[in-house]
Amino acid sequence: GGIGDWVSIYAAGTIVRLGDGANLFDASVQESVQRTLFGPDANVNVYPLPAFFAIAIAPVTRLSFAESYTLWLCFNVTLLGALLIVACRWLAARRVRSWRAFGFLAATSFPVVNLLLLGQVDLLIIASFAASYVLQRRGQRAAAGAVLALALIKPHFAAAPVLMLLAQRQWRTLGAFAVGSAVLVAIPALILGPASLLDQIGILSGMWGASTEGRVNAPMMVNLRGLIVSITGATSIWAWTPLWLAAASASAVAAVCFWRAAPAGGELSWSLAFVLPLIWSPHLHAHSLVFLPGALAFYLHARPPAGSTAAIVMAWGYSLITALWLASLAGVSLLALLVFAAFAFILRLHPDAGRASAERSPTYAPPMDSVAGEFLRRAS
């Protein structure tokens, strides 16, 4: 039977493979295909991701659903392992004594387990962020922008590093990102028809409603929207949109001020870019909190704490994610408070962002370059 978010991805790939890609973002077509695949009582799950991802997944749908789900699970586990190994070695090279605790707590956190079971795509976005950082620090700015375009799988996440690049005037990286993005948009338009992009926008606009159906489930979201809807029980978008817009705008302005003061492409800048999408995303569920360990890795590398402080902070964060998730099951979604706390924790360094310990020297070269290169050579 169909389980998780892989249901909608598998169905979208099937639509493309069967030659009906022009109707990929037709909600009735998605519903019909999912009920054909998983039975008339299937819990329909809308596919809102870009067309290029559905095209990439289409060949996998030649396998059965169970086989394709297992294959994607193995891919996610492998990618997670690679990211954690590189991050832990990176932190160890910086003499962050709590790197083992970081690796263990990140690998076993509820958002990671949730992501793996649902078959979500957020690890691909994290990998594109990390690769863009490495390439930019190596001076390969065009490649850094091109690889960042992969984050368009969820455009509202890609917008954060793009805003960072704008604030820090990284024009060459931005230009490569624009070219890569144009390719990812143009190729599906040629294959599926130019109307596919407008159809996707229609699907996304429908997810703004405060519906409690399975495909939206606003009261369970881990953002400000989920907090407001779960507490008030209001179904209108006007119950949460004004406050969400104010919080998103304020956080974006604060981030831009931080980025303009911080060294271009530094660890603290990227740490903030990992957290900002969790604040301004109007559609956010627990699996996307995997961005918090990513933000923590960059923060720890930039500001390695003394003693076991980091381990204590991580243990508390690990416990709070679990406890607050259980609170959301009880009817009140409080995880947005943890996201805002993480954002404020990084933002408090703004007064001395230009003098951060790992970024104070313009000649500083982070060891992630050699660590990632060595790991990839051994893996290949």
Side-chain angles (χ1 to χ4, degrees):
I3 56 173
D5 295 328
W6 187 248
V7 165
S8 64
I9 297 173
Y10 183 84
T14 301
I15 292 172
V16 173
R17 179 174 59 84
L18 296 178
D20 197 21
N23 297 313
L24 174 61
F25 295 107
D26 186 320
S28 61
V29 172
Q30 290 190 16
E31 178 178 356
S32 175
V33 171
Q34 290 185 36
R35 295 196 186 283
T36 300
L37 290 171
F38 307 112
D41 298 326
N43 185 16
V44 176
N45 194 0
V46 69
Y47 176 82
L49 303 180
F52 72 81
F53 188 66
I55 293 172
I57 289 296
V60 179
T61 63
R62 294 184 181 276
L63 302 173
S64 70
F65 177 81
E67 291 169 341
S68 68
Y69 173 85
T70 303
L71 181 64
W72 185 251
L73 175 63
C74 291
F75 172 80
N76 263 339
V77 170
T78 302
L79 183 56
L80 173 66
L83 288 169
L84 286 177
I85 290 172
V86 170
C88 287
R89 291 184 177 180
W90 189 48
L91 294 178
R94 181 69 175 146
R95 293 184 173 85
V96 177
R97 285 185 281 179
S98 54
W99 64 268
R100 293 181 180 85
F102 168 83
F104 174 77
L105 294 177
T108 59
S109 66
F110 171 76
V112 168
V113 174
N114 195 14
L115 178 146
L116 294 176
L117 292 179
L118 291 177
Q120 264 290 344
V121 300
D122 297 66
L123 288 178
L124 284 173
I125 306 173
I126 292 176
S128 74
F129 281 18
S132 182
Y133 161 80
V134 170
L135 291 167
Q136 192 175 17
R137 293 304 291 253
R138 286 180 174 178
Q140 298 172 291
R141 297 184 178 181
V147 76
L148 186 60
L150 181 61
L152 285 176
I153 293 175
K154 292 189 176 181
H156 51 292
F157 281 82
V162 168
L163 184 61
M164 177 187 71
L165 293 172
L166 282 169
Q168 298 181 342
R169 301 181 180 181
Q170 300 296 302
W171 307 123
R172 187 175 180 183
T173 306
L174 279 169
F177 171 81
V179 171
S181 301
V183 170
L184 291 177
V185 172
I187 290 178
L190 292 174
I191 297 175
L192 307 181
S196 60
L197 183 59
L198 294 176
D199 293 340
Q200 184 194 9
I201 294 173
I203 284 279
L204 292 173
S205 64
M207 301 180 75
W208 276 74
S211 171
T212 57
E213 296 175 3
R215 73 176 196 175
V216 175
N217 203 8
M220 289 291 289
M221 289 186 185
V222 297
N223 53 7
L224 192 59
R225 176 183 181 181
L227 176 64
I228 294 171
V229 174
S230 65
I231 291 176
T232 65
T235 59
S236 170
I237 62 172
W238 301 111
W240 61 271
T241 300
L243 188 56
W244 168 78
L245 280 174
S249 302
S251 61
V253 170
V256 167
C257 292
F258 182 99
W259 286 326
R260 294 188 67 177
E267 290 92 339
L268 290 177
S269 295
W270 274 100
S271 185
L272 204 64
F274 270 79
V275 180
L276 183 59
L278 302 180
I279 293 179
W280 70 20
S281 173
H283 187 95
L284 190 76
H285 287 290
H287 57 265
S288 290
L289 294 184
V290 293
F291 281 81
L292 289 179
L296 182 61
F298 278 89
Y299 180 90
L300 289 177
H301 191 272
R303 305 281 294 216
S308 59
T309 304
I312 294 172
V313 169
M314 285 185 283
W316 271 103
Y318 182 94
S319 301
L320 283 172
I321 286 178
T322 305
L324 295 178
W325 171 248
L326 292 175
S328 67
L329 292 177
V332 181
S333 183
L334 300 174
L335 276 166
L337 301 178
L338 183 61
V339 172
F340 279 102
F343 184 79
F345 185 75
I346 301 169
L347 200 65
R348 68 187 176 87
L349 297 177
H350 169 64
D352 66 337
R355 300 189 300 275
S357 60
E359 301 174 349
R360 66 177 61 160
S361 170
T363 60
Y364 169 72
M368 183 188 269
D369 296 354
S370 57
V371 168
E374 178 189 357
F375 174 75
L376 291 174
R377 283 194 296 272
R378 291 184 178 183
S380 61

